[in-house]
Amino acid sequence: MNPKAYHLVSLGCAKNTVDSESMSQLLNHEGFHPTDQPSQAGVLIVNTCGFIGPAKEESLQVLKDLAKKKRKGQLLIAAGCLTQRYGMEVARQVPGVDGILGTQRWMDVVEVVQRTREGKSPQPQYHLPEPAQTSPSARPGEPAVPIELPAKETGVLRAAVLGASAYLKIADGCRRPCAFCAIPLIKGTAISRPMEAILHEAQVLQEAGIRELILIAQDTTDYGYDLGRSPAGARQDLPLLLQRLAAQAPGIDWMRILYLYPGFVPEPLLEVMASNPQILPYLDMPLQHAHPETLRRMQRPANIDWTYRTIEKMRLALPDLALRTTFIVGYPGETEAEFQALLDFVKELRFDRVGVFQYSFEPGTPSEPLGDPISAAVKQERYERLMELQQGISLERNQSQVGRTLPVLIEGTGDGVSLGRSYRDAPEIDGMVIVEGELPVGEIIPISITGALTYDLSGVPAQTAHLQLIQPGSEAASLLRSKKHRTRHHD
Ligand code: SF4
């Protein structure tokens, strides 16, 4: 066991992965190095997820498994969303935990390791935000919500690299009031990162050979509301950020934006997307439901006319738009008629991708008083009906791609085929393009689409001449090797 080796398990979403990567950077800077063997590591870290019940259980289970096998001298640190919300509870349920880090204290990881090693306290080291730092948007009568201190984040790249793609956090936290969601309780209100810092990091990622930049936040449309940049308000800041990113990182081929909040999608955003080929015509706008009454109970924007109008505008401005959304079924009070309205809406709007979640009761959220009255069987049945409907639509949307030539970012090869993604596929959540032949990983290659499945496409390289250039031992192959090396350097 090496005291300078750490084993880090990152659970949950891409936003958590970015925090995990930031902790790794800080540890590496202090002479630590990662290992995928828990038994070899002096420090075990689990960056937990506390979003919904099953995610909490998974996080606790991973912590318990590591605690059970913990060896003498090893430290176990629980970080992330679950610990932010239930730090004491985690320490009680997992006796081997030595340190607790809240979501907004990832930057204290080295300090927690050092203090725990010094043995200053037999109790777990708690690094949760100080209670005085509270959210300006906490609602009356609710517990104060801690906020992140932006000054503390300097010095590390707030990005997670995944092959030739990188997630870049533009803000953290959320100030929307969605009744079912625990995120504002966990993360606090939204804090936008300074635009100059994001631009600088995009340039660093460009130099590292990144081909796709994915901008993330709990609500990207809210980016900049707190930066005080212009009286026009936050709605101008996301388009401005995209415009400046495209100008300052021209070597990044693809820029993708996730998680738009309905009701707040500005027209300038569509204009910037339409006029800049680097920004992919792909949008992910979680709508959660389509019946105004359900949406009102969810404390979400309930103006369905706005949704119809905006999706029409999006499709006019971006004719090749791939549109993704998510829905929750089985929210308290959802009647069969409300659910049927959701089905009708999905049938009419024909989204490219849809994610469906069954409502998960979260104590402490504004939905708590509504209870969880819809049975698991009804939730499951509605989930299956909606999934089945969407599968037919997804297949049809995919079939409409057959005959097109799509640039595909190659992510892996083996057994005579390559796997990649087109602009229509965000990593980890959407489909893949399966391509004949083993193509260079990390390159964007034009592919003729020849087949369609519900989630994935298949195709063949459109320019075989290009392939002939990249043979083992050729100049192009050594260039690729050096590019891959640069990419790995920032992994
Ligand atoms: S927009 Fe709503 S669902 Fe999304 S993180 Fe914020 S509160 Fe939660």
Side-chain angles (χ1 to χ4, degrees):
M1 190 256 293
N2 182 341
K4 279 289 193 183
Y6 67 91
H7 175 74
L8 197 160
V9 182
S10 188
L11 300 169
C13 64
K15 286 151 278 192
N16 224 28
T17 315
V18 170
D19 290 347
S20 298
E21 288 290 312
S22 299
M23 284 195 274
S24 290
Q25 289 172 54
L26 289 169
L27 287 162
N28 297 347
H29 188 258
E30 292 301 316
F32 289 82
H33 58 87
T35 171
D36 53 11
Q37 297 296 323
S39 59
Q40 307 293 310
V43 184
L44 305 164
I45 304 167
V46 183
N47 198 13
T48 60
C49 174
F51 183 43
I52 52 175
K56 285 187 226 164
E57 279 157 30
E58 185 193 15
S59 294
L60 277 174
Q61 197 52 53
V62 172
L63 278 166
K64 284 177 186 168
D65 290 347
L66 286 173
K68 212 185 293 169
K69 294 189 198 133
K70 213 174 120 183
R71 299 167 68 183
K72 197 166 182 289
Q74 278 186 320
L75 299 182
L76 177 58
I77 294 170
C81 293
L82 182 72
T83 58
Q84 174 72 39
R85 213 171 156 209
Y86 301 106
M88 307 282 180
E89 180 67 13
V90 170
R92 199 183 55 74
Q93 286 203 35
V94 191
V97 167
D98 302 289
I100 299 274
L101 276 173
T103 49
Q104 299 148 23
R105 306 314 306 180
W106 52 265
M107 66 292 286
D108 295 347
V109 64
V110 174
E111 194 185 329
V112 167
V113 170
Q114 284 165 350
R115 280 177 163 243
T116 312
R117 285 238 163 99
E118 286 162 13
K120 286 202 170 136
S121 160
Q123 298 301 319
Q125 285 281 331
Y126 283 89
H127 276 239
L128 298 171
E130 292 155 29
Q133 297 151 4
T134 54
S135 157
S137 66
R139 290 178 287 273
E142 287 181 4
V145 180
I147 63 170
E148 182 164 8
L149 297 176
K152 281 294 239 173
E153 71 166 54
T154 52
V156 295
L157 207 59
R158 297 292 283 135
V161 173
L162 210 107
S165 304
Y167 293 103
L168 183 58
K169 242 189 208 188
I170 62 171
D172 210 359
C174 187
R175 65 188 184 120
R176 306 293 183 200
C178 309
F180 51 80
C181 184
I183 293 292
L185 298 170
I186 295 171
K187 296 262 185 181
T189 194
I191 305 287
S192 304
R193 300 192 55 226
M195 198 177 284
E196 296 305 325
I198 297 168
L199 293 169
H200 170 71
E201 290 176 4
Q203 284 171 329
V204 172
L205 291 165
Q206 171 182 250
E207 280 161 31
I210 287 299
R211 312 296 302 265
E212 178 188 30
L213 187 68
I214 305 155
L215 303 185
I216 53 170
Q218 263 74 27
D219 168 9
T220 49
T221 45
D222 206 23
Y223 175 73
Y225 86 96
D226 51 339
L227 295 179
R229 296 182 53 86
S230 70
R235 291 184 186 205
Q236 302 298 327
D237 281 32
L238 181 61
L240 178 66
L241 175 66
L242 281 168
Q243 209 162 18
R244 291 191 65 192
L245 277 169
Q248 294 196 25
I252 296 182
D253 308 69
W254 289 358
M255 294 186 181
R256 190 187 293 278
I257 175 110
L258 299 183
Y259 316 134
L260 306 183
Y261 185 77
F264 292 83
V265 179
E267 281 188 27
L269 174 66
L270 302 181
E271 285 159 20
V272 168
M273 290 178 74
S275 60
N276 199 308
Q278 265 170 289
I279 305 167
L280 299 179
Y282 174 101
L283 288 173
D284 179 356
M285 181 167 68
L287 293 168
Q288 312 300 14
H289 212 278
H291 194 286
E293 286 310 314
T294 328
L295 286 165
R296 255 176 229 121
R297 288 196 302 282
M298 287 178 164
Q299 295 180 192
R300 300 269 302 177
N303 183 346
I304 287 297
D305 286 345
W306 178 93
T307 310
Y308 275 103
R309 273 198 321 274
T310 303
I311 291 178
E312 197 183 332
K313 270 189 219 162
M314 286 174 173
R315 286 178 166 157
L316 272 174
L318 307 161
D320 285 334
L321 178 68
L323 187 54
R324 178 186 177 82
T325 192
T326 44
F327 296 112
I328 295 173
V329 295
Y331 187 75
E334 185 193 51
T335 61
E336 177 57 29
E338 288 177 9
F339 177 66
Q340 190 56 52
L342 173 58
L343 291 179
D344 294 343
F345 176 81
V346 168
K347 214 180 282 175
E348 198 177 337
L349 268 292
R350 314 201 82 69
F351 299 96
D352 296 83
R353 321 276 187 202
V354 169
V356 184
F357 296 93
Q358 298 183 30
Y359 173 67
S360 167
F361 175 81
E362 290 307 311
T365 60
S367 290
E368 184 177 359
L370 302 179
D372 192 8
I374 298 191
S375 71
V378 171
K379 284 182 191 168
Q380 179 65 22
E381 188 245 358
R382 289 182 183 169
Y383 170 84
E384 284 168 13
R385 280 161 70 195
L386 181 49
M387 286 295 283
E388 197 184 329
L389 167 65
Q390 179 58 35
Q391 278 160 2
I393 297 169
S394 292
L395 178 61
E396 196 188 289
R397 301 290 291 176
N398 270 358
Q399 281 166 340
S400 72
Q401 303 299 312
V402 175
R404 283 184 81 189
T405 297
L406 298 178
V408 170
L409 173 57
I410 303 298
E411 295 189 309
T413 59
D415 297 331
V417 294
S418 302
L419 289 179
R421 289 180 294 107
S422 76
Y423 78 92
R424 300 176 70 247
D425 311 300
E428 304 177 294
I429 47 171
D430 292 328
M432 305 290 298
V433 184
I434 305 149
V435 189
E436 266 177 32
E438 299 199 4
L439 304 175
V441 172
E443 289 298 293
I444 296 174
I445 294 178
I447 302 295
S448 297
I449 302 302
T450 52
L453 300 165
T454 305
Y455 300 110
D456 304 317
L457 296 172
S458 58
V460 294
Q463 295 173 359
T464 44
H466 172 80
L467 290 181
Q468 282 155 15
L469 283 176
I470 304 169
Q471 294 298 332
S474 69
E475 200 181 335
S478 51
L479 268 174
L480 273 168
R481 269 200 304 280
S482 66
K483 186 183 277 276
K484 271 190 245 163
H485 177 73
R486 290 205 309 275
T487 307
R488 265 202 306 276
H489 181 68
H490 279 272
D491 265 353

